[in-house]
């Protein structure tokens, strides 16, 4: 088969690789129908994730069809159309028993495209298939479903739920890329008073408006003052960091009100300063996290009911073998206007 192989910082190619095979009785082999590219994949290509070894197939999100299962797999069988979760779960360790699948210590967690070969290929081996793939309803298309492998559960769990968004809150989302936009979409489920989107790109701020942001502000135009004006000087109840650079994290801590929540979702490659000289007295809660995907079944039901605006985030589509072009477009989003790019089949589902 062919897959998109990482060869070191700045080096990757769509090339011939061995077909995956069943290694454990809990494995499944999935024929990939649709995949997408994550900002984390760009971090890997930059060399920010040194655990990824040269020779690894990238990618941790996919929709496809089961073609083979190990002898211990019980919940899916060949022919089933499934969502491949970005997180694998052994189901037995302490963290899995607490639904903290992202912290799995039994050989799961974020392993696809990280510690083992990933989904950006024609076929992928998925460990612990019973807990790591989700059968798809026919009403959800492949290109919509693939956004539920990572960005929607990540935004919902690590941003909205960790941030404890409540009715009547002022929610500021710093970063209107795919994760930030999904956070805007899912924060609305809790009826906040207002959602404010902060970014430097006008196209992304416009996308935020279309997805439900009540106000938008350019990050270069005093977003802290705007939040203060909207909240009588108190600050935002919840601030979601969806960029992953020191400047935006520090901005979030300045925008939150006393007693508020800062939910960090962005992947950070450099240290950020925590200004405890200002924050120690403010009763602020700061959370970090890797997605656990415990919310995926709920989000799938909502998508099937038409309650999630998944397709609004997709700006570019490519055939599966257009991987390099897709990476170029996604990696230069400031010029291309890319939000989410999807590669692969369009006739599945719905």
């Amino acid at each position: 088969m062919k897959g998109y192989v990482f060869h070191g910082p700045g080096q990757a190619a769509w090339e011939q690789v061995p077909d995956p095979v069943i290694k454990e009785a809990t494995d499944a082999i999935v024929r990939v129908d649709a995949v997408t590219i994550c900002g984390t994949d760009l971090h890997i290509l930059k060399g920010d994730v040194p655990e990824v070894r040269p020779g690894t197939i990238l990618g941790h999100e996919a929709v496809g069809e089961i073609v083979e299962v190990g002898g211990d797999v019980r919940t899916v069988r060949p022919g089933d159309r499934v969502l491949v979760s970005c997180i694998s779960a052994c189901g037995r360790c302490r963290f899995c028993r607490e639904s903290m699948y992202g912290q799995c210590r039994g050989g799961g967690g974020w392993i696809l495209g990280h510690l083992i070969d990933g989904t950006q290929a024609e076929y992928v081996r998925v460990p612990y298939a019973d807990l790591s793939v989700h059968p798809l309803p026919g009403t959800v298309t492949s290109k919509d479903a693939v956004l539920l492998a990572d960005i929607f559960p990540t935004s919902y769990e690590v941003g909205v739920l960790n941030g404890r968004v409540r009715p009547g809150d002022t929610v500021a989302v710093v970063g209107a890329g795919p994760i930030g936009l999904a956070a805007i979409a899912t924060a609305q489920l809790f009826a906040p008073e207002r959602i404010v989107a902060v970014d430097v790109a006008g196209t992304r701020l416009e996308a935020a408006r279309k997805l439900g942001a009540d106000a938008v502000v350019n990050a270069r135009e005093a977003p802290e003052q705007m939040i203060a004006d909207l909240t009588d000087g108190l600050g935002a109840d919840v601030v979601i960091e969806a960029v992953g650079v020191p400047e935006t994290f520090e901005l979030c801590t300045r925008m939150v009100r006393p007693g508020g929540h800062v939910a960090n979702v962005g992947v950070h490659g450099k240290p950020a300063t925590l200004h405890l000289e200002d924050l120690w007295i403010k009763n602020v809660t700061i959370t970090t996290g890797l997605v656990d995907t415990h919310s995926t079944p709920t989000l799938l039901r909502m998508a099937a009911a038409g309650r999630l605006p998944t397709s609004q985030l997709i700006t570019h589509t490519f055939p599966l073998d257009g991987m390099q072009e897709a990476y170029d477009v996604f990696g230069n989003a400031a010029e291309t206007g890319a939000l989410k790019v999807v590669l692969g089949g369009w006739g599945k589902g719905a």
Side-chain angles (χ1 to χ4, degrees), residues 111 115 166 299 307:
I111 56 175
L115 305 179
R166 297 179 298 180
L299 295 173
R307 300 296 179 87

Side-chain angles (χ1 to χ4, degrees), residues 61-138:
E61 307 154 270
V63 169
E65 180 181 315
I66 300 284
V67 296
E68 187 179 359
V69 296
D72 289 347
V73 176
R74 297 288 181 265
T75 60
V76 291
R77 60 185 180 181
D80 286 351
R81 181 169 162 266
V82 296
L83 171 70
V84 178
S85 176
C86 65
I87 298 296
S88 303
C90 78
R92 299 186 300 270
C93 71
R94 171 180 174 173
F95 291 117
C96 283
R97 288 177 181 272
E98 296 175 359
S99 297
M100 295 174 61
Y101 307 125
Q103 305 301 323
C104 175
R105 290 298 183 267
W110 173 37
I111 56 175
L112 290 172
H114 180 206
L115 305 179
I116 66 172
D117 285 336
T119 58
Q120 291 171 4
E122 294 175 321
Y123 292 86
V124 59
R125 179 180 72 91
V126 183
Y128 304 116
D130 280 331
L131 285 173
S132 306
V133 302
H134 301 270
L136 285 175

Side-chain angles (χ1 to χ4, degrees), residues 36-41 43 60-61 86 146-160 171-187 195 197-199 204 207-208 211 240-244 263-267 289-291 313 330 338-340:
T36 184
I37 301 171
C38 179
T40 307
D41 297 321
H43 280 282
H60 49 267
E61 307 154 270
C86 65
V146 76
L147 299 192
L148 301 180
D150 187 351
I151 68 161
F152 268 90
T154 294
S155 300
Y156 181 59
E157 295 174 18
V158 186
V160 176
V171 179
V173 179
V174 178
I179 289 289
L181 294 174
I184 290 168
T186 53
I195 299 173
V198 181
D199 204 288
R204 293 193 166 191
L211 279 165
I240 298 173
E241 200 285 338
V243 181
N264 184 90
V265 190
V267 177
L290 174 66
V291 64
L313 273 69
F330 186 65
L339 294 175
K340 286 301 286 184

Side-chain angles (χ1 to χ4, degrees), residues 211-228:
L211 279 165
D214 301 286
V216 300
V217 57
N218 192 294
R220 301 186 181 98
E221 296 176 1
E224 297 161 78
Q225 186 60 52
M226 181 178 186
I227 293 294

